[in-house]
């Protein structure tokens, strides 16, 4: 845990240290106030011997001694205000640098988590639940933040406070100081014990709340079922049951908490009372001055609350360990390694050689081999689950082909020897359900290309037949996508994604079922322009629609992870296999020609 | 839902009065709390008096006799204060949880009465936070907000009274500190409130960014924009950093200011009080009490200012909850109907007529509550009991409108829907809904076992009934495949089952009550061939002998229908039997052709 903390507090450490130092100074001057009051009561108003450090004594004498102060009580008052101002100033500095330190730490942590999730392999993402990751990146970060900004500092501050108070108190009257000190372990133990004990009850309450929450949520998401079966009464009964239980659990906890608070108050007040009573006895018998008694009372009051909190803080600090562990799990997952050839020969032929690939234990590709000649258009026909998407994932190394499962080469170079990012930059991929970011449409199209060239963006949008739709939105190209803006239809998203990929001018373009939501005419029009826009690019078209594939230079048919037919459109029709049958169905019956 | 966004610094009493009925229910514990907190805070306010007494009686004259008794009395007061704390904490908890419970219940009940149309425009997450967190915050304001405020107020009043009893002239000076501290805290708290709001906004943007970064991981990788994402995320966390530090500095400045106010008070006591002690106008004990008060009175003032800002902030929650409670129930049974048939929570089933399932649309005009064009214009159609009606059309064409009207999830804008010859508004909603068997496209199951889910269709059903219903629609095969059979937990929303399995269970749930009216929204999502076959068998078995509305996506289902209604762009464009419509060669014929291609394609690849 310490290593974890240090790693993310590189530029925050000195602020945290400064904060602690300033807190010490602030506490010191805060403790000076009661001393000034005590001194005034004893040696100015009263006639006790002054008992000041040498330099203060000299200053006191030069000022004119007791007589001067008696005539000018305002000087004592000014001393109180001055120490308050100094204490306040350092308090402010302490808090500001604490904030600067913890917020730096938090930013480091947040950025590191984000960066790491960006560079984790795609397979990691498919294996983990989004909600869980987000929770780790948000609430666990918050726990870590609180750990430093509140708990850790609170402990340090309380320790300084107690030590400083005790030093001063012991210098005045060791016996009374020892008595005051005697209460502290007891108070701390009581609080720690109690909090550990009710932590379980708290957890139970939280769990009941979770159940109630789930109940309401299920009722709301299932509202159509509830209504259709007329089950409102049943639902209300169920809700009442949980709602009552929830209230009951908390009220029960309230009883325990009440006792805890009450006893805590009593213990602290008894501590103060003992100081007052014993102190009064000591003062009455001349073993303590009145001023010192007032200092004791004041210090005891100041210490009471932080000491009570300390027990709670200590018991809560243990929770932070769990959060650190959960974050570490993300940060320790191995990220994708870049490395390899940064300028791979992407304009060469793409070759799949005996590729076999499995997810978990399910084989999705079996001994797949084919060659895509550079600059040609290549079609892959297959149904859902035939393994056609896996081909694209392997090609741009979203999934890594393990050793011994065949080889994928581009321009004769194994893609595993290429720099991952150079490869992906060179493979423009459009997916069936493309993801658009919640930015403007313009930014979405220019996302990978970063050209900032508005005219070019419009040209590519026109090539993807989406320009008309975009002009129709209220803010045109500057319309926001997503929650804060327009919701695009599946077909519109696909076309924006096509424009986005066209912008990159990648030497290899893969359209993975990316025209499925478009009608045949738009599909054909876009294909024509794509071919014109990307003259020398190698294009892979993946579809279950013959009309999308028929103009390709070569087509393969994929079924259950195997290549079962390959050839040109006409060759495949001649061959009379699955391709032919799909063609017949899609063109509406038996005619050979469309 | 409507919601105002601007509530800076204005306390709207009318909103708070809306809570009256809920507070009334907790009058007793609230009063107990208030009485006890007064005891506790007055005890605390009296502590300096003991110091003062000890100084005057023991320290100054140098007497030790009576210190024991003094300590005893002091301890008793402390004990009384402690007991008061324990009990008012408990009753405040009762106040908090009871008001919270009542508010939650009121929201829940109202949500059961709101029309389905309300749910299609309001996200569940939004409603959930109204029912859960907003009500929690309101109830904690009613209890702890009031407690803190009154406790501190009592303390201040007590302290002021004690000070005046001790030395009015010095008390008058000290009191001046109260408004100064209050004003300073108030100004700062309001600023902090605004900053906090900003921070929360940034915080949710950060959560959003994580969400996008993770759900969009595939896109980011294929576009190789990871570095750009990290850079823009860094900008966002940078903004959050600055906002957080600014807020912390505001807070960091407030504290020393308050400390400063306190030191001014101490300084005043020292100057004025010290002088009086020297000239003999006051004793040292009184002065030491004043010093304690000078320090002690500051914090309660700060607390009160803090509580007031909290209350201001909580007002938004009241606004949101009352807005939810004020949301109109567009579909409501009339008083006479409720009188005869009961409402959704207290039905009078003894007065319910049996239902045959004859549905008539009588000159129905309809448009959706959120506006737009007429969806139905003067539509009339008689569906005799036992008819199977298939509704077909493109996705988003408005196929569910007729079903929603027949089931009275919506009511016609004009015209009538008759059930068994009588306007459906003449009977209660529950009467109709209890006779429906519904299978929805995305079949929602509740967490619990398979048996419990099937029993949802008829709560008093025996185990044999559950099994019989399951067998009727082949859902028994789902149960047979699972480790614990009918006792298998399905998980939240039925997540542990596949869509096809969920649909079979929901068929059984619909069938167990043997409903005269059956509604089916066929699944479009891909279901494995085997389950698909089971579902097709289930459909043909459940159609016999009841009125059925099917929003159909499969040819085999459509061909079984007695009547086919073709919907396009929210309007009914054709109606008739399969033969008639094919012969007409219109929209239906085209749609049929497209569906045929799709299904046959799937068959070719599915190993024939």
């Amino acid at each position: 845990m310490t290593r974890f903390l240090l790693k993310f507090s590189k530029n925050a450490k000195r602020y945290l240290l400064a904060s602690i130092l300033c807190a010490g100074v602030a506490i010191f001057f805060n403790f000076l106030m009661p001393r000034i009051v005590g001194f005034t009561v004893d040696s100015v108003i009263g006639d006790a011997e002054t008992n000041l450090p040498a330099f203060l004594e000299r200053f006191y004498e030069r000022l004119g001694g007791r007589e001067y102060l008696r005539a000018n009580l305002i000087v004592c008052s000014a001393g109180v205000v001055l120490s308050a101002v100094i204490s306040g100033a350092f308090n402010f500095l302490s808090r500001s640098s604490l904030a600067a330190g913890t917020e730096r730490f938090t930013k480091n942590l947040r950025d590191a988590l984000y960066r790491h999730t960006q560079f984790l392999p795609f397979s990691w993402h498919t294996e983990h639940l989004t909600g869980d990751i987000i929770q780790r990146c948000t609430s666990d970060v918050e726990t870590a933040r609180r750990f430093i900004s509140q708990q850790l500092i609170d402990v340090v501050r309380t320790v300084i406070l107690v030590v400083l108070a005790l030093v001063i108190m012991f210098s005045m009257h060791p016996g009374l100081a020892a008595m005051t000190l005697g209460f502290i372990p007891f108070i701390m133990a009581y609080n720690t014990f109690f909090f550990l004990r009710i932590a379980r009850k708290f957890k139970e309450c939280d769990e009941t709340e979770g159940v109630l929450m789930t109940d309401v949520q299920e009722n709301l998401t299932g509202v159509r079922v509830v209504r259709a079966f007329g089950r409102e009464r049943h639902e209300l009964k169920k809700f009442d049951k949980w709602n009552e239980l929830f209230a009951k659990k908390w009220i029960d906890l309230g009883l325990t908490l009440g006792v805890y608070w009450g006893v805590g108050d009593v213990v602290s007040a008894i501590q103060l009372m003992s100081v007052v009573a014993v102190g009064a006895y000591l003062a009455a018998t001349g073993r303590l001055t009145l001023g010192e008694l007032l200092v004791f009372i004041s210090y005891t009051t100041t210490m009471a609350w932080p000491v009570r909190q300390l027990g709670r803080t200590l018991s809560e600090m243990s929770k932070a360990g769990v959060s650190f562990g959960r974050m570490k799990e993300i940060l320790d997952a191995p990220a994708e390694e870049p490395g390899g050839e940064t300028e791979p020969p992407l304009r060469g032929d793409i070759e799949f050689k005996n590729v076999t690939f499995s997810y978990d234990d399910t084989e999705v590709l079996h001994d797949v081999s084919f060659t895509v000649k550079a600059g040609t258009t290549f079609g892959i026909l297959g149904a859902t689950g035939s393994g056609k998407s896996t081909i694209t994932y392997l090609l741009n190394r979203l999934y890594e082909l393990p050793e011994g499962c065949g080889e994928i080469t581009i321009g004769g170079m194994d893609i595993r020897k290429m720099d991952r990012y150079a490869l992906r930059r060179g493979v423009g991929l459009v997916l069936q359900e493309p993801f658009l970011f919640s930015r403007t449409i313009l930014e979405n199209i220019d996302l990978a290309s970063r050209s900032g060239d508005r005219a070019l963006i419009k040209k590519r949008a026109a090539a993807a037949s989406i320009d008309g739709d975009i002009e129709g939105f209220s803010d045109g190209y500057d319309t926001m996508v997503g929650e804060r803006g327009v919701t695009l239809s599946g077909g519109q998203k696909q076309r924006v994604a096509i424009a986005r990929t066209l912008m990159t001018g990648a030497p290899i373009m893969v359209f993975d079922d990316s025209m499925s939501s478009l009608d045949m005419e738009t599909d054909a029009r876009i294909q024509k322009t794509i071919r014109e826009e990307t003259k020398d690019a190698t294009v892979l078209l993946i579809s279950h629609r013959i009309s999308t594939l028929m103009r390709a230079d070569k087509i393969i048919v994929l079924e259950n992870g195997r290549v079962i037919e390959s050839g040109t459109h006409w060759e495949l029709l001649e061959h009379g296999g699955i391709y032919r049958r799909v063609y017949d169905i899609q063109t509406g019956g038996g005619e050979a020609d469309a | 839902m409507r919601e105002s966004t601007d509530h800076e610094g204005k306390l709207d009493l009318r909103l708070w009065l809306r809570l009256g009925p809920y507070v009334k229910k907790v009058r007793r514990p609230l009063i107990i709390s208030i009485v006890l907190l007064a005891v506790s805070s007055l005890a605390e306010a009296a502590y300096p008096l003991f110091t003062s007494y000890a100084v005057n009686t023991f320290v100054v004259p140098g007497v030790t006799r009576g210190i024991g008794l003094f300590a005893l009395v002091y301890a008793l007061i402390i004990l009384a204060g402690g007991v008061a704390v324990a009990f008012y904490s408990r009753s405040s908890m009762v106040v908090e949880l009871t008001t919270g419970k009542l508010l939650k219940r009121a929201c829940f009940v109202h949500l059961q009465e709101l029309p389905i149309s309300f749910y299609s425009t309001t996200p569940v997450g939004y409603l959930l936070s109204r029912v859960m967190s907003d009500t929690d915050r309101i109830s904690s304001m009613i209890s702890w907000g009031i407690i803190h405020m009154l406790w501190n107020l009592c303390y201040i009043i007590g302290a002021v009274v004690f000070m005046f009893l001790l030395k009015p002239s010095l008390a008058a000076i000290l009191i001046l500190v109260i408004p100064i501290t209050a004003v300073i805290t108030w100004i700062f708290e309001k600023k902090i409130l605004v900053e906090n709001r900003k921070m929360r906004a940034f915080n949710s943007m950060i959560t959003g960014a994580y969400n996008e970064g993770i759900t969009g991981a595939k896109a980011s990788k294929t576009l190789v924009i990871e570095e750009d994402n990290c850079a823009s995320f860094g900008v966002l966390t940078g903004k959050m950093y600055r906002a957080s530090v600014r807020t912390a500095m505001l807070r960091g400045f407030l504290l020393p200011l308050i400390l400063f106010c306190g030191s001014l008070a101490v300084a005043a006591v020292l100057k004025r009080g010290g002088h009086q002690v020297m000239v003999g106008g006051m004793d040292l004990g009184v002065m030491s009490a004043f010093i304690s008060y000078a320090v002690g009175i500051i914090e309660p003032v700060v607390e009160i200012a803090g509580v007031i800002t909290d209350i201001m902030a909580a007002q938004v929650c009241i606004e949101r909850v009352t807005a939810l409670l004020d949301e109109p129930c567009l579909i409501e049974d009339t008083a006479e109907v409720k009188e005869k048939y009961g409402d959704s929570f207290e039905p009078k089933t003894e007065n319910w007529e049996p239902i045959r399932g004859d549905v008539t649309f009588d000159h129905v005009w309809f448009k959706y509550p959120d506006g737009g064009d007429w969806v139905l214009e003067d539509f009339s159609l008689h569906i005799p009991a036992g008819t199977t009606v298939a509704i077909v059309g493109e996705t988003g064409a408005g196929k569910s409108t007729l079903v929603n009207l027949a089931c009275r999830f919506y009511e016609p804008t004009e015209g009538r829907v008759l059930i068994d010859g009588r306007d459906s508004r003449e009977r209660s909603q529950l009467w109709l809904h209890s006779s429906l068997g519904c299978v929805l496209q995305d079949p929602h199951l509740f967490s619990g076992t398979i048996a419990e889910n099937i029993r949802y269709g008829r709560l008093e059903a025996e185990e044999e009934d559950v099994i019989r219903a399951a067998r009727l629609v082949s859902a028994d095969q789902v149960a047979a495949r699972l480790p614990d059979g009918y006792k298998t937990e399905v998980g939240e929303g039925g997540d542990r089952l596949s869509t096809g399995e969920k649909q079979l269970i929901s068929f059984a749930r619909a069938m167990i009550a043997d409903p005269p009216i059956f509604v089916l929204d066929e699944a479009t999502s891909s279901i494995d061939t085997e389950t698909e076959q089971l579902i097709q068998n289930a459909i043909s078995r459940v159609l016999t002998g009841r009125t059925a509305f099917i929003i159909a996506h499969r040819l085999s289902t459509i061909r079984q229908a007695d009547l086919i209604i073709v919907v396009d762009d929210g309007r009914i464009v054709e109606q008739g039997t399969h033969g008639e419509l094919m012969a007409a060669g219109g929209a239906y014929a085209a749609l049929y052709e497209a569906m045929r291609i799709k299904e046959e394609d799937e068959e070719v690849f599915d190993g024939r």
Side-chain angles (χ1 to χ4, degrees), chain A residues 104 218 227 233 235 393, chain B residues 114 218 241 345 447 456:
Chain A
R104 273 188 166 78
E218 281 208 281
R227 297 299 166 81
R233 194 167 96 154
E235 289 292 316
Y393 289 167
Chain B
L114 284 173
K218 185 155 69 169
Y241 167 78
F345 305 111
S447 42
Y456 199 83

Side-chain angles (χ1 to χ4, degrees), chain A residues 37 41 45 70 73-74 77 80-81 84-85 87-88 92 95-96 99-100 103-104 107 110-111 114-115 118-120 122 125 130 133-134 137-138 209 212-214 216-236 239-240 243-244 246-247 250-251 254-255 258 261-262 265-266 269 273 280-281 283-285 290 294 297 336 383 393 396 398 421 424-425 429 431 435 437-439 447-448 450 500 559 581-582 585-586, chain B residues 51 55 58-59 62-64 67 71 74 78 82 85-86 89-90 93 97 101 104-105 108-109 111-112 114 116 119 127-128 132 136 207 209-230 233-234 237-238 240-241 244 248-249 252-253 255-256 259-260 263 267 270-271 274-275 277-278 284 287-288 291 344-345 347 409 430 433 436 438 440 444-447 456-459 492-493 509 597 601 604-605 608:
Chain A
V37 173
V41 169
I45 298 171
R70 274 182 80 92
L73 268 178
I74 190 95
S77 298
V80 169
V81 176
V85 168
S87 171
F92 174 73
R95 281 171 183 273
S96 303
E103 295 307 330
R104 273 188 166 78
K107 180 170 161 41
R110 281 189 179 128
D111 289 352
Y114 186 87
R115 166 167 281 275
Q118 287 294 302
F119 287 101
L120 279 170
F122 181 60
H125 282 278
T130 312
I133 305 170
I134 291 176
C137 295
T138 53
E209 181 171 17
L212 178 63
M213 179 91 106
T214 314
V216 176
Q217 188 182 1
E218 281 208 281
N219 173 272
L220 295 178
T221 44
V223 62
R224 283 166 187 82
V225 180
V226 175
R227 297 299 166 81
F229 286 96
R231 286 286 170 265
E232 291 91 336
R233 194 167 96 154
H234 171 73
E235 289 292 316
L236 183 62
F239 169 80
D240 276 343
N243 198 18
E244 292 287 342
F246 170 70
W250 274 102
I251 290 173
L255 181 66
W261 285 322
D265 274 8
V266 169
M273 182 215 75
Y281 174 80
T285 52
L290 175 57
L294 292 183
I297 292 175
E336 286 181 330
Y393 289 167
N396 73 354
L398 276 179
Y421 305 113
R424 285 184 192 155
R425 247 177 244 122
L429 174 59
L431 300 164
F435 186 89
F437 292 82
S438 42
R439 307 182 192 189
L447 209 52
R450 276 159 272 164
R500 179 165 78 183
E559 196 189 30
R581 298 208 353 233
V582 172
I585 292 164
Q586 290 186 359
Chain B
T51 315
V55 171
F58 310 117
V59 181
V63 175
T64 53
I67 286 195
Y74 196 165
I78 289 173
V85 168
S89 302
R90 187 192 146 75
M93 214 72 167
L97 271 305
K101 187 175 80 183
K104 284 193 182 76
R105 190 174 198 275
F108 189 85
V109 166
L111 280 168
Q112 306 307 305
L114 284 173
I116 291 285
Y119 285 91
L127 294 175
L128 202 58
M132 298 298 293
D136 276 346
T207 310
Y210 273 122
N211 189 26
E212 189 166 274
I214 292 163
T215 50
K218 185 155 69 169
S220 298
K221 282 181 188 304
T222 53
L223 295 166
V224 201
I225 53 167
E226 294 99 331
E227 287 294 349
D228 296 311
N229 289 348
C230 290
F233 186 77
T237 50
M240 179 70 176
Y241 167 78
S244 310
M249 282 172 77
F253 202 69
L255 216 84
L259 200 70
F260 177 70
S263 78
L270 214 52
K271 167 83 178 66
H275 184 72
V277 172
M278 284 188 286
L284 271 173
M287 182 167 140
S288 56
I291 289 173
S344 295
F345 305 111
F409 293 141
L430 195 64
H433 293 167
L436 293 179
C438 266
L440 302 176
H444 185 274
L445 300 187
F446 296 95
S447 42
Y456 199 83
R458 186 153 64 90
L459 296 173
E492 208 179 310
R509 174 172 70 187
I597 289 177
D601 258 13
V604 169
F605 279 109
R608 294 126 266 221

Side-chain angles (χ1 to χ4, degrees), chain A residues 433-553:
Chain A
E433 285 172 14
F435 186 89
L436 298 189
F437 292 82
S438 42
R439 307 182 192 189
T440 66
I441 293 185
L442 188 91
E443 286 168 328
N444 263 296
I445 296 178
D446 203 18
L447 209 52
S449 39
R450 276 159 272 164
S451 67
D453 182 346
R454 232 183 146 88
L456 184 67
I457 292 167
K458 287 194 179 175
K459 196 170 158 229
R460 299 291 185 241
S465 297
I466 184 70
D467 53 334
D469 298 55
I470 298 174
E471 304 286 357
F473 296 134
S474 54
D475 295 325
Y477 281 84
D478 299 315
T479 308
M480 288 293 291
V481 177
E483 272 178 39
R484 285 175 292 149
V486 290
T487 313
L488 301 184
S489 73
Q492 286 172 329
K493 277 190 198 166
Q494 286 183 347
R495 281 174 288 157
V496 170
I498 291 170
R500 179 165 78 183
T501 301
L502 287 178
M503 281 299 290
T504 64
I508 300 169
M509 300 231 174
V510 183
F511 297 89
D512 184 356
D513 238 347
S514 44
M515 285 126 185
S516 60
S517 300
L518 308 179
D519 59 63
M520 302 220 185
E521 281 163 56
T522 320
D523 182 347
R525 194 169 62 236
I526 293 176
Q527 284 217 41
K528 195 158 155 273
T529 44
I530 287 178
R531 211 49 274 190
E532 286 162 7
E533 297 272 338
T534 60
K535 285 182 197 68
D536 49 359
T538 313
V539 176
L540 260 75
L541 293 171
I542 299 175
S543 181
H544 58 261
R545 204 192 259 175
I546 300 274
S547 59
T548 306
L549 304 174
M550 56 191 283
R551 284 172 212 86
D553 298 305

Side-chain angles (χ1 to χ4, degrees), chain B residues 23-67:
Chain B
V23 177
K24 234 184 194 161
K25 293 244 167 68
V26 290
R27 232 173 355 192
R28 260 174 59 103
L30 192 59
I31 289 170
I32 293 176
S33 276
I34 292 172
V35 171
L36 289 173
L37 76 85
V39 172
S40 143
S41 73
L42 287 178
E44 196 118 335
Y47 292 166
L49 292 182
F50 283 91
T51 315
S52 161
Y53 179 84
V55 171
N56 281 343
T57 330
F58 310 117
V59 181
V60 176
V63 175
T64 53
R65 244 194 57 204
I67 286 195

Side-chain angles (χ1 to χ4, degrees), chain A residues 5-136:
Chain A
L5 283 176
L6 286 176
K7 189 171 161 200
F8 294 103
S9 16
K10 254 180 219 133
N11 56 355
K13 254 182 303 193
R14 55 207 157 107
Y15 288 95
L16 296 176
L17 281 176
S19 169
I20 291 171
L21 280 178
C22 290
V25 177
I27 291 169
F28 177 77
F29 277 95
N30 193 21
F31 277 158
L32 211 54
M33 277 201 294
R35 293 228 65 180
I36 296 173
V37 173
F39 172 79
T40 311
V41 169
D42 282 349
S43 308
V44 180
I45 298 171
D47 50 8
E49 284 289 307
T50 54
N51 181 21
L52 296 170
F55 74 98
L56 274 177
E57 187 71 45
R58 273 201 299 281
F59 178 72
Y60 172 69
E61 291 303 333
R62 196 171 310 154
L63 213 57
R66 176 164 178 250
E67 286 317 308
Y68 173 80
L69 286 182
R70 274 182 80 92
N72 296 287
L73 268 178
I74 190 95
V75 175
C76 300
S77 298
V80 169
V81 176
L82 187 67
S83 50
V85 168
I86 296 175
S87 171
F90 276 93
N91 203 320
F92 174 73
L93 286 177
S94 168
R95 281 171 183 273
S96 303
S97 45
L98 174 63
T102 36
E103 295 307 330
R104 273 188 166 78
F105 165 82
T106 315
K107 180 170 161 41
N108 293 342
L109 189 56
R110 281 189 179 128
D111 289 352
L113 281 166
Y114 186 87
R115 166 167 281 275
H116 201 70
T117 52
Q118 287 294 302
F119 287 101
L120 279 170
F122 181 60
S123 55
W124 185 89
H125 282 278
T126 54
E127 283 158 17
H128 290 81
L129 294 172
T130 312
D132 180 53
I133 305 170
I134 291 176
Q135 202 188 5
R136 287 171 193 225

